[in-house]
Amino acid sequence: MVWRTWDLNLKVRLVGELITHTFFWMYFPFMALYFSDSFGKDIAGIMLMVPPLLGMMSNLFGGYLADKVGRKPTMLLSLCTSSVMFAIFAFSTSPVVDYLAFIGIGIASSLYWPASSAMVADLTTEEDRRVVFATFYTAMNMGVVAGPVLGSFFFVNYRFELLLICTIVELIFAASIFFLIKETLPATVRAERSKERFSITQQFKGYAVIFRDKVFALYIGAGVLVAIAFMQLDMYMALYVKEHVHDQPLMWWGDWTFTVGGTSAFGWLMGLNGLLVVLFTLPVTKWFQHWSDRNSLVISSVLYGFGMFLMAFTTNIWLLFGCMVILTLGELIRTPVAQSFISKYSPEDARGQYMGASSLQFSIGRFIAPMSISISQWLSPVGVFGIILALTLISAYLYIPLFRMIPEDGHDSAHS
């Protein structure tokens, strides 16, 4: 499915999400440092645990809204809320108000993604879906690569101007969605949902039905395990590289040598990860598009686990680059397949809620992942990386019975 054949909805959102995500990453990586300076490290650490928990609830509510009132109104609510919060953040002179605005931006962002993913699923065929999701993932990671580099200059030197531009960008994107994008929630579903009374109880009942779905519950369980491993990139792996990878030559020419070690080595590893994601998400998706969802998810978990585990046996920066290539390949195989699987598996009238519920695997994974830092006080790097490998192997094993439970013709027959 080539770009020129895409629905206008997808084109507008791809460009909009690339730009807004780049601006998001121009301020987000610096918030921990900003709040640490404002409130102290201990308090800042506790404060930064709140946004993921609120984001988890906001994700679920966003999925419910996407199925209840539609994809477009949910995305507009998100963007209008975030633009107001960015404006408050820009004009605020109080760190407390800054923190509340930061939480508001996070809640608004979490509202957006279930509707966004559901809209992609609404507009694509099953065979094109992986490639389209991969394209959106590539755009998102272009923002992850470019944003922090730009933000390291603009957030420090021109914070007010940066946040003001973020406000304007969100408003422009909201206007683009309002004028250019059409609703994709099927009219029959919208008519049926409009008869239901809006209530939090109804929302929880909807999610209770989803989590009683044994296949989906197993999928979330396997996803949480591999998400814990994924989150170690900027947790235990960062700590390991900082403590064990000492200064060493990365490049040399005659008498000239460029050395890296500790934090700088970690920066180079993360830079390689981001570059590989941007350059190879689409090629890898196309190479593996004929693989079944089961085999793709199993091999991605195994590759990620072994890529991470092999780091325990070396402190050589070039061998660590090799490990990063292995685990990034696992990441690239997994991401579009995971999104495509939920699109295919979820019933049409609950697609937004399934997308919202699916994001819980990352929220729960992010919440549990920091335990690796505590465990590292008692275990050697081989022990900690061994636990990470074990989690990914259990995840890979769980995908096998999961796919045995799904009939060939998909979700609806599983529930008939």
Side-chain angles (χ1 to χ4, degrees):
M1 188 178 186
V2 291
W3 161 264
R4 65 176 175 273
T5 66
W6 282 26
D7 186 283
L8 180 64
N9 282 23
L10 297 176
K11 291 178 181 176
V12 169
R13 284 185 31 251
L14 181 67
V15 173
E17 287 176 18
L18 167 62
I19 295 168
T20 54
H21 214 74
T22 302
F23 277 98
F24 174 83
W25 282 95
M26 284 172 70
Y27 84 91
F28 179 74
F30 308 99
M31 297 315 298
L33 296 174
Y34 173 66
F35 290 132
S36 295
D37 291 342
S38 301
F39 299 102
K41 288 181 183 176
D42 293 344
I43 294 173
I46 296 166
M47 290 169 75
L48 290 169
M49 288 176 69
V50 176
L53 293 175
L54 293 177
M56 208 183 296
M57 292 184 276
S58 180
N59 242 310
L60 294 175
F61 185 61
Y64 173 73
L65 273 185
D67 290 334
K68 171 79 175 168
V69 300
R71 321 313 192 198
K72 182 175 172 178
T74 305
M75 289 191 283
L76 284 172
L77 174 64
S78 162
L79 291 168
C80 291
T81 304
S82 61
S83 61
V84 170
M85 291 299 162
F86 271 122
I88 291 170
F89 200 168
F91 289 97
S92 162
T93 54
S94 161
V96 174
V97 174
D98 291 346
Y99 175 67
L100 294 174
F102 173 66
I103 285 179
I105 292 165
I107 289 171
S109 176
S110 297
L111 271 179
Y112 180 90
W113 293 111
S116 171
S117 300
M119 185 176 274
V120 173
D122 294 338
L123 293 168
T124 52
T125 60
E126 196 174 302
E127 58 268 24
D128 292 330
R129 208 165 279 154
R130 280 195 199 181
V131 173
V132 176
F133 273 123
T135 307
F136 273 84
Y137 188 64
T138 301
M140 188 172 75
N141 278 281
M142 287 169 72
V144 174
V145 172
V149 176
L150 296 168
S152 62
F153 175 74
F154 287 104
F155 185 82
V156 173
N157 299 299
Y158 300 99
R159 200 187 81 184
F160 169 76
E161 291 83 354
L162 172 61
L163 293 170
L164 195 60
I165 292 170
C166 286
T167 306
I168 296 166
V169 166
E170 296 283 309
L171 283 173
I172 292 171
F173 189 26
S176 303
I177 286 179
F178 184 79
F179 288 111
L180 299 175
I181 280 183
K182 294 181 174 64
E183 181 56 65
T184 62
L185 178 65
T188 51
V189 176
R190 197 155 65 242
E192 192 63 36
R193 287 298 176 103
S194 65
K195 296 173 190 171
E196 296 175 4
R197 193 165 54 86
F198 183 88
S199 72
I200 298 296
T201 310
Q202 192 66 36
Q203 182 191 349
F204 279 113
K205 280 181 182 174
Y207 280 113
V209 170
I210 289 174
F211 287 112
R212 281 201 297 271
D213 178 339
K214 290 178 184 174
V215 171
F216 188 75
L218 193 58
Y219 174 78
I220 293 293
V224 166
L225 295 176
V226 80
I228 293 169
F230 271 41
M231 301 299 169
Q232 300 309 321
L233 271 183
D234 51 8
M235 290 189 184
Y236 182 68
M237 191 198 87
L239 185 70
Y240 171 76
V241 171
K242 186 179 177 184
E243 291 183 350
H244 296 276
V245 180
H246 304 301
D247 284 351
Q248 56 189 279
L250 177 67
M251 295 175 279
W252 57 91
W253 183 267
D255 294 332
W256 175 81
T257 305
F258 180 72
T259 60
V260 296
T263 305
S264 65
F266 172 67
W268 277 83
L269 286 164
M270 291 304 288
L272 175 63
N273 173 256
L275 187 65
L276 290 172
V277 168
V278 169
L279 294 179
F280 291 102
T281 296
L282 281 168
V284 168
T285 301
K286 287 174 181 174
W287 294 337
F288 286 87
Q289 66 183 346
H290 299 301
W291 281 42
S292 67
D293 288 354
R294 185 196 70 176
N295 291 348
S296 297
L297 291 171
V298 168
I299 194 67
S300 71
S301 293
V302 171
L303 283 172
Y304 201 92
F306 273 102
M308 191 70 79
F309 181 62
L310 291 172
M311 288 187 170
F313 299 95
T314 185
T315 56
N316 179 285
I317 189 65
W318 285 100
L319 292 177
L320 290 171
F321 281 155
C323 295
M324 184 60 81
V325 170
I326 294 169
L327 67 87
T328 303
L329 178 59
E331 178 185 353
L332 297 185
I333 293 170
R334 175 186 173 79
T335 304
V337 175
Q339 291 174 307
S340 172
F341 169 76
I342 289 299
S343 307
K344 186 165 43 179
Y345 182 74
S346 58
E348 197 176 57
D349 64 341
R351 190 169 273 159
Q353 284 184 283
Y354 269 83
M355 290 291 184
S358 176
S359 67
L360 283 180
Q361 57 192 299
F362 306 107
S363 303
I364 297 168
R366 190 180 297 117
F367 191 70
I368 298 172
M371 289 178 65
S372 62
I373 306 293
S374 305
I375 292 169
S376 69
Q377 295 177 44
W378 295 286
L379 292 179
S380 67
V382 174
V384 180
F385 280 120
I387 290 172
I388 295 166
L389 172 63
L391 293 176
T392 60
L393 293 179
I394 294 168
S395 170
Y397 174 76
L398 290 176
Y399 286 123
I400 296 168
L402 185 157
F403 281 91
R404 285 197 195 120
M405 295 162 70
I406 305 174
E408 288 300 313
D409 52 347
H411 181 279
D412 291 331
S413 61
H415 289 260
S416 59

